[in-house]
Amino acid sequence: MVDARVLAVPVVPRQLSAQRGRDPYPYFGWLRANAPALPELRAGGYTVWYVSRYEDVLSLLADQRLSKNPDLVPGYVSGPLGANRHLVHADPPEHARLRKLVGAAFLPRRIAALEPLIAGTARQLLDRADPAQGMDLIEDFALPLTFTLICTILGVPEQLITPATRQLLADTMVPSHASDTREQLQVFLRQLVACKRLGAATELDLLGALAHARGDRLTEEELVSTAYLLLLVGHDTTVNLIGNGMLALLRNPEQLRRLREEPELMRTGVEELLRYDSPVRNATFRVAAEPISLHGNTIQSGDIVSLLIGSANRDEARFPEPDVLDLARDPNEHLAFGRGPHFCVGAALARLEGGIAFRLLLDRLGDPRLAVPEDALRWHPCRVMRGLVSLPVTA
Ligand code: HEM
C-alpha cells in the first residue's frame, strides 16, 4: 500500500540524488533547505525519515522516544549476523550495563598508553612502502594499521590477523555476500570467544577481560555480538578518517602545508577533518517508539529515523562557512562521533590513531599528490559509512 505521507514530500532533484555517492554535500544542502525531515518508503514496507539539520540531529541523538530495538520495525532485517546483542541495538537499562563493561577498556587514560604501539605499527607500514613509486593509502596503510590495532586491543590471536579475516568482516557488509559469509563469521567469532573463555586474559586483551568479567557477565550471544561490533566499527571508521582526511588535505594544499609547518594545529585539525568529510555519514539505527512531530510531519511509531551526521556537520546555521576546510576552526562542535548515551566508545582511540597517522604521513610523504584523476576515485556504496575504496598517492 502506498503511504499517503510519502506522496506529499518534495522530490529530490535527480542530479543531486545521482551524485550523492561521490559528493553528498549538495544533496544534504538541498535537504536542509527543502525537506529537513524527508520520508522514504522502503521495499520492506517500513518508512525511513532522513533528518538533516544540526539542531534536529543533536536533539534526536539523545531523545528517549527513539529506541535502538530493530524488532519494533515490522519487515526490517537488521545486521548481517542475525545476532545483535550489542551496544548499538541496546536500550536502557541494558545499554548502560553493556556500556559500563565495554567502555572500561576505552577510557582516555588507557587509550593514551597505546601511543607507542600505534606509532610503531604505522612506522612499520610506511617503512615497507615506497611512496616515490606510489602507494595506496587505504590498502597499504589505513586498513592494515587500524585492523592490526583493533585486533591487538581486543586480543585476537596474531595468526588470525590476516587480510582474509579482514575480507570476511568486510563482506558481511555487502548484502549480496552476507549470507555466504555469515556462517563462516559466526564460526570464527564463536571459536574466538570460546578460546577467550578458556585462556587467561592477558594485558591488552579486551575480549579476554570481557569473557572473564566477574559478577555481571556478558552472555555468549552478547560476547559474540560485541566482538563482531568492535572488530568492524573499530577499524572501518578510522580508515575513513584517514582516507577522507588525506583527500581533503590533498584538495586543499595550503591547509596541508600549514599542518606540516604548524604541527600544533593537529588537535583542531583532526576535529575539522572529522567534521568536513565525516567518516560515518548517518548515526546508528533508531526507531520511533512513539509518535514524534518534526517540521509539520508526524514520525509514526515503528518508523526508522536516520540522523544525517554528514549533513549536520555542514549546516550553515551552525558552522560559519561550513564548506571551507579550516584546520584552526575552534570551537568545532561537530557530531562526527554522535552525542548523548550512544556517543562513540572509540572516540579517544580514533582521535589518537588519526593524529598519529596524519603526522607520520605528512613527514614521510613530503609533498604528496593524487596518483589518479579525481574522477577515478571510487567511494564505497554504503549508506552509513563514507569512505574511499582506494586512495593512490605519489610523493
Ligand atoms: C573516526 C572514527 C570513528 C567515528 C567517526 C565513529 C563514529 C561513531 C558514531 C557516529 C557512532 C554512533 C552514535 C549514535 O548513533 O548515537 C559510534 C558508535 C560507536 N562506536 Fe565509533 N566511531 C569511530 C571509531 C570507533 C572505534 C575505533 C571504535 C572501537 C574501538 C568505535 C566503537 C564504537 C561503538 C562500540 C559504538 C556504539 C556505542 C553505543 O551505541 O553506545 N568507534 N561511533
Side-chain angles (χ1 to χ4, degrees):
M1 199 177 79
V2 178
D3 186 329
R5 290 170 298 149
V6 178
L7 292 177
V9 300
V11 178
V12 180
R14 189 175 298 190
Q15 198 206 341
L16 294 184
S17 195
Q19 74 177 40
R20 69 185 165 176
R22 172 172 293 278
D23 179 9
Y25 297 106
Y27 164 70
F28 286 158
W30 186 90
L31 285 182
R32 288 192 303 275
N34 300 286
L38 180 79
E40 183 184 283
L41 187 62
R42 289 281 179 82
Y46 53 88
T47 298
V48 179
W49 290 85
Y50 292 97
V51 178
S52 47
R53 290 188 186 162
Y54 182 97
E55 287 306 325
D56 296 331
V57 172
L58 177 64
S59 74
L60 287 171
L61 277 169
D63 195 316
Q64 294 291 314
R65 292 172 299 172
L66 292 175
S67 161
K68 307 282 286 170
N69 180 358
D71 296 341
L72 298 186
V73 189
Y76 179 73
V77 181
S78 74
L81 265 186
N84 283 306
R85 307 278 299 150
H86 55 57
L87 281 168
V88 165
H89 287 304
D91 280 328
E94 271 320 284
H95 180 259
R97 178 185 148 254
L98 292 173
R99 181 90 192 193
K100 195 166 156 221
L101 286 164
V102 177
F106 289 94
L107 295 174
R109 164 177 56 80
R110 297 193 70 168
I111 294 304
L114 298 174
E115 176 151 13
L117 172 75
I118 300 172
T121 313
R123 277 200 199 94
Q124 266 176 20
L125 288 163
L126 288 171
D127 287 346
R128 263 187 244 151
D130 181 1
Q133 295 299 312
M135 70 181 282
D136 179 354
L137 288 190
I138 304 292
E139 197 52 48
D140 300 334
F141 181 72
L143 266 170
L145 172 68
T146 56
F147 191 61
T148 304
L149 288 171
I150 192 63
C151 287
T152 311
I153 294 167
L154 291 181
V156 175
E158 208 163 314
Q159 61 274 26
L160 296 179
I161 308 178
T162 63
T165 316
R166 214 172 71 201
Q167 193 58 46
L168 188 61
L169 279 165
D171 279 352
T172 61
M173 294 296 283
V174 182
S176 52
H177 294 180
S179 59
D180 299 341
T181 46
R182 188 176 304 176
E183 213 165 302
Q184 288 179 53
L185 190 67
Q186 282 274 8
V187 171
F188 167 76
L189 291 170
R190 286 192 191 284
Q191 280 173 352
L192 182 60
V193 163
C195 123
K196 291 288 150 194
R197 286 242 201 254
L198 286 176
T202 50
E203 199 194 334
L204 245 189
D205 182 1
L206 171 61
L207 284 182
L210 285 174
H212 290 284
R214 287 173 193 280
D216 188 10
R217 304 185 63 178
L218 292 182
T219 64
E220 176 80 5
E221 221 42 48
E222 287 169 341
L223 208 45
V224 167
S225 300
T226 301
Y228 171 71
L229 174 71
L230 292 174
L231 277 171
L232 196 70
V233 301
H235 83 287
D236 257 8
T237 47
T238 314
V239 170
N240 295 349
L241 167 60
I242 297 171
N244 300 1
M246 280 306 291
L247 179 61
L249 291 172
L250 293 170
R251 282 172 169 164
N252 293 272
E254 78 300 342
Q255 292 288 311
L256 188 150
R257 233 182 345 266
R258 231 186 126 186
L259 191 56
R260 188 177 308 110
E261 284 161 14
E262 302 169 50
E264 65 281 6
L265 263 189
M266 193 56 87
R267 186 187 61 78
T268 53
V270 169
E271 298 308 310
E272 176 67 345
L273 294 169
L274 281 159
R275 180 198 71 84
Y276 183 77
D277 203 1
S278 302
V280 177
R281 190 191 305 208
N282 304 9
T284 49
F285 175 89
R286 280 172 174 78
V287 50
E290 55 184 275
I292 298 173
S293 299
L294 193 63
H295 300 292
N297 304 287
T298 304
I299 299 175
Q300 306 284 359
S301 304
D303 287 354
I304 292 179
V305 178
S306 179
L307 304 174
L308 299 176
I309 286 176
S311 171
N313 284 342
R314 293 281 192 114
D315 191 337
E316 40 292 282
R318 179 71 195 199
F319 299 98
E321 299 196 282
D323 297 327
V324 171
L325 179 75
D326 173 7
L327 297 181
R329 193 183 286 271
D330 195 10
N332 188 346
E333 299 269 299
H334 66 74
L335 302 177
F337 292 117
R339 197 66 74 80
H342 290 272
F343 180 80
C344 176
V345 168
L349 175 61
R351 285 178 163 129
L352 186 62
E353 282 183 37
I356 292 173
F358 292 127
R359 176 165 55 77
L360 289 177
L361 284 171
L362 295 191
D363 281 357
R364 294 285 183 100
L365 297 182
D367 186 16
R369 265 159 301 189
L370 260 184
V372 294
E374 271 218 42
D375 309 350
L377 291 175
R378 280 192 304 126
W379 294 86
H380 282 292
C382 180
R383 276 173 183 260
V384 178
M385 303 278 199
R386 166 147 172 94
L388 289 156
V389 176
S390 69
L391 182 57
V393 296
T394 47

